[in-house]
Structure formats: C-alpha cells, structure tokens
Amino acid sequence: QKEVEQNSGPLSVPEGAIASLNCTYSDRGSQSFFWYRQYSGKSPELIMFIYSNGDKEDGRFTAQLNKASQYVSLLIRDSQPSDSATYLCAVNSGFNQAGTALIFGKGTTLSVSS
Amino acid sequence: ETGVTQTPRHLVMGMTNKKSLKCEQHLGHNAMYWYKQSAKKPLELMFVYSLEERVENNSVPSRFSPECPNSSHLFLHLHTLQPEDSALYLCASSQGGSPNSPLHFGNGTRLTVT
C-alpha cells in the first residue's frame, strides 16, 4: 500500500514568519512530487512540483526533496493570512503513458495570524 | 470557458435515485480523472482515463460507473448509492506522457446521499 503521510496540524504561525510543511512517502520508486493548496470549500490548486533532489524556489515558496529519506517539504516565507489553507502533498508513484496517478496525503492545515 | 468545469456543484439524492456528474476540460489534455474527497481522509483516486480508455479503476464499487466519450468530457454515473458515499467528487485532467504533468482540478460536486 503506497502511502503519503502529513501532519494534519493545525500549524499556526504569525504573519511574516516561515511556515514549514512536511511530507513523507512510502514508495521508493516515486518520481515526482507535488504541493497543492486547498482553501475551504474549494478545489486543490497546484503550487509547485519537484522531481530532483534539492531545493526548488518559486517566489515565497521553496520545495525541498530528499529521496534517500523519502521526505519532501514546503517552506513558505513571509507568511500571509491569505496563505491560510490546507496544503496537500501528492506523490506520483504510478507514472505510465496514461497519465499522472497521484497519491495524496491528508493535508496539513496552516493558519497564519495577523 | 477555461480550465476544468464540473456540474452540478451540489447534488442531493436518495439511495434509490440515478444521477450523473459531468466534467468538461478546456485545456487540451488527454487524461482525465475522478477523485473522491471525504472528511479527514486523503483524496482517493477512483478512475483514470487516457485517450478515452479507462486505464485505472481503484476497486471502486459498481454503483459508480464512469464514462469518457471523448478527451474533453467525463461523466460519473451514480445509482443506488449509500450514505457513506456522501463526499466531494473532484474531476481533474492532465497531459499524459510526462511524470511531471500536474493535475488540474475542477471545482467539484458536493454529493449528499440521504
């Protein structure tokens, strides 16, 4: 059973702080990793993806991947109240020519206080 | 219209009813998906279609029946559902052929089975 684990939170940070969201996965053959943000009552929206070990930065967001430790994280710098949402980690373990069958974690709820 | 559109947004049905959920994507993708999102559980992959052929069926009960008449449209036919089937049903699409191709989600259908 392929699994993706996340701390459900809530993770509470003050405005302007760095929020650190973590995710571990069970399948060593996993190839690509995605972070989605989901506001309450809305559908998930893609923030970033990463497939190579190391860091990938996009604006205030940094994704970090360590395949040896089967660990992926998302850092949000200068957190804003608008970042308050549930963050879903997703792992593509079953890639084939057909598409991207992602396995999702339960998500971590982030609350940024002003 | 752009993106992934789902209808209806909300649906209430009795256990003996038959209804259908509709999804349409305007992104030129060739793979479409149905996911189920229940409270306190991770997103569950139900079905994957690539080039109108079903390529994955994750042990979903037969009371859920998907249909993909072309690469832009996807349906989920529902009959004799159970109250535990109440959830948010999300449609997504992606460009098959790449492990890094992210999923683009629709706004979902909130289903309540009474």
Side-chain angles (χ1 to χ4, degrees):
Chain A
Q1 179 85 5
K2 298 173 183 176
E3 294 184 339
V4 176
E5 299 288 341
Q6 294 181 259
N7 188 325
S8 62
L11 173 65
S12 297
V13 301
E15 184 175 359
I18 296 176
S20 178
L21 304 160
N22 305 314
C23 172
T24 59
Y25 57 95
S26 62
D27 184 3
R28 283 197 171 274
S30 300
Q31 298 185 17
S32 49
F33 309 85
F34 301 81
W35 283 99
Y36 283 82
R37 176 176 61 199
Q38 187 173 25
Y39 292 111
S40 180
K42 302 293 186 180
S43 61
E45 56 179 329
L46 179 72
I47 298 176
M48 293 187 70
F49 72 86
I50 186 169
Y51 54 88
S52 298
N53 273 331
D55 296 359
K56 179 180 179 181
E57 187 173 316
D58 184 0
R60 295 187 296 114
F61 298 96
T62 299
Q64 299 175 317
L65 175 61
N66 184 327
K67 288 187 177 181
S69 301
Q70 295 176 240
Y71 176 93
V72 57
S73 65
L74 179 70
L75 300 178
I76 306 175
R77 290 182 299 281
D78 188 23
S79 295
Q80 301 297 309
S82 58
D83 294 326
S84 298
T86 297
Y87 289 80
L88 306 176
C89 174
V91 175
N92 183 4
S93 293
F95 167 72
N96 53 48
Q97 290 299 318
T100 309
L102 296 184
I103 307 299
F104 283 82
K106 291 184 181 180
T108 298
T109 299
L110 173 66
S111 177
V112 181
S113 56
S114 57
Chain B
E1 289 198 51
T2 58
V4 181
T5 304
Q6 288 186 247
T7 56
R9 293 295 306 276
H10 301 273
L11 178 62
V12 179
M13 59 187 289
M15 289 190 285
T16 59
N17 291 158
K18 289 184 180 181
K19 296 287 185 183
S20 295
L21 310 184
K22 179 182 176 182
C23 176
E24 183 174 0
Q25 62 96 1
H26 304 271
L27 299 170
H29 290 161
N30 58 11
M32 297 188 76
Y33 312 77
W34 281 114
Y35 276 86
K36 175 184 178 183
Q37 188 172 36
S38 305
K40 302 192 185 304
K41 295 176 73 173
L43 278 162
E44 301 171 56
L45 178 63
M46 300 176 73
F47 302 103
V48 181
Y49 274 84
S50 176
L51 300 174
E52 297 114 61
E53 289 191 25
R54 190 188 311 177
V55 295
E56 187 155 340
N57 176 344
N58 272 3
S59 302
V60 178
S62 60
R63 56 186 184 267
F64 295 92
S65 174
E67 177 190 1
C68 188
N70 55 62
S71 60
S72 298
H73 294 85
L74 184 65
F75 296 90
L76 188 62
H77 304 300
L78 317 171
H79 64 98
T80 59
L81 294 191
Q82 304 299 309
E84 60 265 30
D85 296 321
S86 298
L88 179 67
Y89 289 84
L90 290 162
C91 173
S93 69
S94 76
Q95 190 58 34
S98 167
N100 302 326
S101 178
L103 299 183
H104 295 260
F105 286 91
N107 287 325
T109 295
R110 175 67 63 184
L111 173 67
T112 303
V113 181
T114 60

